[in-house]
Amino acid sequence: MSFKHRSIIDTIPSYKQGKPAPKVEGQRSFKISSNENAFDPLPSVVKAIEGHALPHLNRYPDMRGWAVVERLAEEIGVKPENIVLGCGSTEVITQLVQLVAGPGDEVVYPWRSFEAYPIIVAGAGATSVQVPNLPDGSHDIDGLINAVNEKTRLVIVNNPNNPTSTSVAAADAHRLMEAVPSDVLVLFDEAYFQFNTDADTSVAMDLFREFPNVVVAHTFSKAYGLAGLRIGYGIAPEDVIDGMRKVALPFGVTDVAQTAALASLNAYDELTDRVKSIISERNRVVAALKEQGWDFPEPYANFFWLPLGKKTDEAAAQFLAAGLSTRVFSGEGIRISIGEVEANDLVIDVCAKLKAAGF
């Protein structure tokens, strides 16, 4: 950059959006690189948008999103003052980091994890403390605990973790909360919690009701299939919510997004059926790959992780040639979203060929 700017900007990695489906002549291709819900929007949600939101595009939305906030508060069992909306859970996390951390402060989180974390932390001028995952891709809870010091302003727990799809056990999360000082906030990022079938998983809202320093981030992007509308929410103590609202993007959550969120909450049963279908497909793919001889972490989100190390780029080229765009972490592994049945069948086929080739 040739203009005057904050030097920390030069340290921030650019967020890379999942690649679109590749063009492969003579066959259908699929985008399975962004953990999107492959189902089309529910007709009832589309109807609500057309009838209640589109006619008012000339007006600003309710900045507090009160209708959505009150409905969520009722569903979750907290006060409306405990909830804040954001442009997806990513903006909710940004609000929180902007609230608590700045130059000289540290934010502790597992790594590899959500790629936005280092961007958000550096954007606030704070320092990232990345705690390497365990060999199985799960959080190193002891490592997170040991990384906390007088400079720590926030600890982030990603459950299930992105991209490894591992789950955090309730006992481990409780041990972490017992160890972290009560004046240091702990964020539980649960963007994929609806897909988490781990019987021993931590439930962030249980911890919220037990500890005074818990913040929970949820989103409508994944299970609810509203990724394109950008709406998520945070649950936190009232004083934390007050602070997050001060640094929130004014009018950031559109009326269209708020309308779609309410309609989605009304269609909970239909969406639950879709989640069950995605979980069923995930289990089918995992079973097929295990039978082929693959060894990878048991997934608890709508994606799974293939730890391929030095062979990552070579394998990624094979997926691309088959018409599949995946999320590639060179030298580490590939994250593969559960998509349409046809896409999942292609994944199984490519993995079989890779295994036969010695992967």
Side-chain angles (χ1 to χ4, degrees):
M1 295 183 184
S2 59
F3 56 90
K4 293 181 179 180
H5 62 282
R6 292 191 298 152
S7 59
I8 198 170
I9 301 300
D10 296 328
T11 72
I12 300 177
S14 297
Y15 187 87
K16 297 179 181 179
Q17 184 174 2
K19 292 183 178 180
K23 294 181 180 180
V24 179
E25 187 175 351
Q27 72 175 65
R28 185 183 178 191
S29 59
F30 299 90
K31 179 187 178 187
I32 51 173
S33 57
S34 295
N35 298 341
E36 294 159 328
N37 191 320
F39 287 98
D40 292 334
L42 286 172
S44 60
V45 175
V46 174
K47 184 178 180 181
I49 292 172
E50 292 175 342
H52 300 289
L54 295 186
H56 306 291
L57 293 181
N58 58 315
R59 302 295 183 184
Y60 285 111
D62 173 9
M63 195 167 76
R64 183 74 168 89
W66 203 248
V68 180
V69 167
E70 287 188 323
R71 176 64 182 275
L72 286 170
E74 181 182 352
E75 298 263 345
I76 298 167
V78 296
K79 295 187 293 184
E81 290 77 15
N82 292 124
I83 296 178
V84 65
L85 300 184
C87 300
S89 56
T90 302
E91 201 236 330
V92 169
I93 298 166
T94 302
Q95 293 170 10
L96 183 62
V97 173
Q98 290 282 348
L99 171 66
V100 301
D105 299 326
E106 295 182 352
V107 178
V108 175
Y109 54 86
W111 196 255
R112 179 169 289 279
S113 194
F114 183 33
E115 293 166 86
Y117 294 156
I119 299 172
I120 294 169
V121 173
T127 300
S128 285
V129 178
Q130 298 179 341
V131 178
N133 291 324
L134 296 174
D136 65 356
S138 64
H139 289 6
D140 180 356
I141 298 298
D142 289 328
L144 292 171
I145 292 171
N146 292 333
V148 175
N149 58 41
E150 68 279 357
K151 295 181 180 179
T152 306
R153 295 296 176 267
L154 178 68
V155 178
I156 302 177
V157 177
N158 194 2
N159 186 32
N161 187 47
N162 176 13
T164 58
S165 203
T166 53
S167 178
V168 178
D172 285 337
H174 200 274
R175 183 160 58 89
L176 174 70
M177 291 307 307
E178 291 281 4
V180 174
S182 60
D183 60 350
V184 174
L185 294 178
V186 180
L187 167 67
F188 287 85
D189 182 358
E190 291 188 332
Y192 303 92
F193 78 95
Q194 293 94 339
F195 303 102
N196 194 341
T197 55
D198 179 10
D200 296 322
T201 190
S202 165
V203 177
M205 286 308 302
D206 291 344
L207 296 170
F208 176 82
R209 293 181 173 92
E210 182 177 355
F211 295 92
N213 53 329
V214 171
V215 180
V216 185
H218 287 171
T219 183
F220 284 91
S221 295
K222 311 302 181 183
Y224 289 98
L226 301 182
L229 290 181
R230 313 309 302 129
I231 178 168
Y233 57 97
I235 308 161
E238 288 184 45
D239 56 343
V240 176
I241 293 296
D242 286 342
M244 291 172 68
R245 288 177 59 200
K246 290 178 181 179
V247 296
L249 179 67
F251 303 108
V253 182
T254 67
D255 189 41
V256 175
Q258 294 179 39
T259 300
L262 284 172
S264 296
L265 290 169
N266 290 334
Y268 178 80
D269 290 342
E270 290 179 86
L271 288 167
T272 297
D273 288 342
R274 289 184 167 192
V275 168
K276 290 178 179 178
S277 176
I278 293 168
I279 291 172
S280 177
E281 273 296 284
R282 180 190 73 196
N283 294 344
R284 180 177 74 89
V285 173
V286 168
L289 268 58
K290 297 285 187 182
E291 188 174 342
Q292 292 173 7
W294 289 94
D295 182 21
F296 56 92
E298 188 70 27
Y300 291 104
N302 65 335
F303 56 88
F304 66 96
W305 170 250
L306 285 182
L308 293 160
K310 295 179 180 179
K311 295 184 176 182
T312 295
D313 290 345
E314 185 182 351
Q318 296 300 311
F319 282 105
L320 205 60
L324 299 168
S325 66
T326 58
R327 190 68 161 200
V328 182
F329 300 86
S330 293
E332 297 182 56
I334 298 176
R335 188 193 71 194
I336 300 174
S337 305
I338 299 300
E340 298 87 341
V341 173
E342 187 180 346
N344 301 331
D345 288 341
L346 276 175
V347 168
I348 293 171
D349 290 343
V350 172
C351 286
K353 293 174 182 176
L354 288 173
K355 183 55 67 175
F359 279 76

